[in-house]
Amino acid sequence: MTTDCSGYGDDFADWRNGLFLCPDGDNADVLVELIRGALDEALSHQGAGPVYPRWEQEDGRSLGGGHLPEGPVASEAVLSQLPRWLAGSVKVHHHMFAKNVVPPPSFVNLAALCAVSLFMPNGVTGEDAAETLTAELSCAQALARLAGYDPDQAGGLFTFGGTATNLYAINVGISKAQPDHAERGIEPGMAVVGSWPAHYSQKSACAWLGIGTRNYISAASLPDQTTDLESMEAACRDVLARGHRLACIMGAGGTTSNMAVDDFGEIAAMRDRLAAEYGLDYTPHVHADTVIGWAYLCFIDYDLHRNPLEFSPPVVAKISRLVERLRTVRHADSFGTDFHKTGFAPYTSSMIIMRDGRDFSRLRRDGGVMTPLFHDKDAYNPGTFTLETSRSAANMVATWVGLQALGKQGMRKLLGHALETAEALRRHVDAVAAGDVTAINKHSYGPDVFLRCYPPDDPAASEEDFSDTSSVRRINQYTSDLFAWLSRQRVPEAEQIALSKTSAAFYTPAGEPVVALRVYSLNPYFSDSHARELVARLLKGKRQFDAIHPDTDVYEGAR
C-alpha cells in the first residue's frame, strides 16, 4: 500500500510535499528539480577564474543578518542566495586551482551521498543503519588488503577527519599504556613521539586527549621530510628513561609537503627493541599518518616494469619510491585515510584502520552509562566505542560506491595524472622562469611543487645555499611578501591563479624553515598546457611586483 502525497488539499500538505520526501517517494522529482535549480544558480554565477566571484552588495548590507524570518521562504528564493554564499570560495574543479590537497569529488560519490542521506541512517547502531554499515566494513577490508593487513583480523571506522584518525590512534595507545585511564585519568608524563614536519593535528590530538602538547615529542626530520629515525629513537628513549609511558609513535605516511613516507618496519623494530630493553608491560602503539599517502597503496601491485598506463620515467621513479616505503605500512598498528584528500570524495570522509580490529574494544564504553540507544544486542553497534554518537552512514556508502566506481586502475590514472602534471610544471618553470622562480623539491615523492621566488638578479637564484641562514631568511621574506601581494591583487578572472604558500617546504640543516609557494593539483582537467599557463601568469605577477613594490631595495641591501 502506498501513501498518496499529492492528493491532500490543505496548505500544510502542499508546503510539506515541497520540502520532504513522501513515504512512497512519489515526489522525488521535486528534490531533483531543486538540485537542478541549485546547480544552475551556483554554476551560472561561478565566473571564469579559480575563485568564485565576490558578491557586490548593492545596498551595502551583509547577507543574512542573523534574523530568522517569521514565515517560510520559498525554496527557489533561498536557493537563489547560493552565489552570494559561495562568494570568494575556491573552485576545486577549475584548471587553475592548485591550492592544498583538495580534489574535485566524483559524481558517483555525490549522487550516492544525496540518495542515502534521504534515509538518514546513523552509523552508530546496526539497528537503525543496518546494511549501510556493511559499506564501512567493506571499506575497512579493502584498505586492509591494500596495506597488507589480514582483512579478517583488521577493523576500521569512519570518522570526521584526519585529526580524528590521530585521536583514535593515540587514544588506543593510551589504553595500551594505561588501561584504566578512562576511569582514573591519564597519569603524568604520558607521551607521544612524532616527527617535526608532521601535521599539527597530531599535537592538537594530544591537547584534546589531555596529554598536553608539551608531551608531544618531535623527532628531527631529514631533508626529504622523512623522519630521522635515530632522533626518533633518542626521543623514545628519553621518555622511557624518565619512567614515563610512551603511548604512541607516529610516523610519516605521506606528509602534506613532499609526500614523505617513513619505513614503518624500522619504526616497529625499534619499538619492539625498546619495549624489551626497558621491560615494558605494554607495547607502544605505532601509527602511520597516511591520510594523504594511503591512496598510493593502489600502486603496490601495479606492474612498474610493464607500465601499462605508460607513465613517464620520472613518474615511474616516484611511484617506485613511494611503493617501496608504503609496503612497510603493514608493520604499523594502524593507519589513517582521508578520502576527501586523495580519494576524490567530498568533505568529510576519513577512516582509521587497525591491523587488529580488537584494538577498538579498548575504547568501549560502559553500557550502563550510555543512553538507551542500542536495543539490539546482536547488531553491529560501533557507537559503543566510537567518539561520535552521530555518524553519517550515507557517507560510508557514498565512499565505498565511489571507490568501486574508480577501482584501483582509476585511482592510478588520477594520481598518475597529478604526478605527470607536476613534472610538466617543473619543466615549464625551468624553461620559462629560470632566474625568477625555482622548484626546490626536486626529489618529492608526490605531486607537490614548491616554488622558491627570488628578487631580480639575485645570486641565490642560480643555486641557493640553504646553509646560509641569513640568505634563507631574506628569500623567505621576499617569497612571503610576493605571495601576500599576489593574494591582494584584483586581476581579471581569466588571468587568475589559485596557489598557496608553505611556511616550511623543508628545514635547513640549521633547522630554518624554507618558505615557498605551493602548487598542488589533483584536478583531472589540469594539463601540460595549463601548467605552462600557470607559470606564465605567476611570472607576470612576479615581475609586476618587482617593478612596483616599494621595498624591493630591502632585499637588495640584505645580501
Side-chain angles (χ1 to χ4, degrees), residues 126 129-135 397:
E131 287 300 315
T132 60
L133 285 174
T134 305
V397 175

Side-chain angles (χ1 to χ4, degrees), residues 444-466:
S444 169
Y445 289 85
D448 259 350
V449 181
F450 292 127
L451 302 178
R452 187 83 159 160
C453 302
Y454 303 94
D457 303 317
D458 194 289
S462 58
E463 188 172 356
E464 186 172 357
D465 180 5
F466 290 107

Side-chain angles (χ1 to χ4, degrees), residues 425 429 437-440 449-453 479 516-519 538:
L425 187 71
V429 167
V437 181
T438 298
I440 57 173
V449 181
F450 292 127
L451 302 178
R452 187 83 159 160
C453 302
T479 303
L517 303 187
R518 185 186 189 200
V519 184
L538 173 61

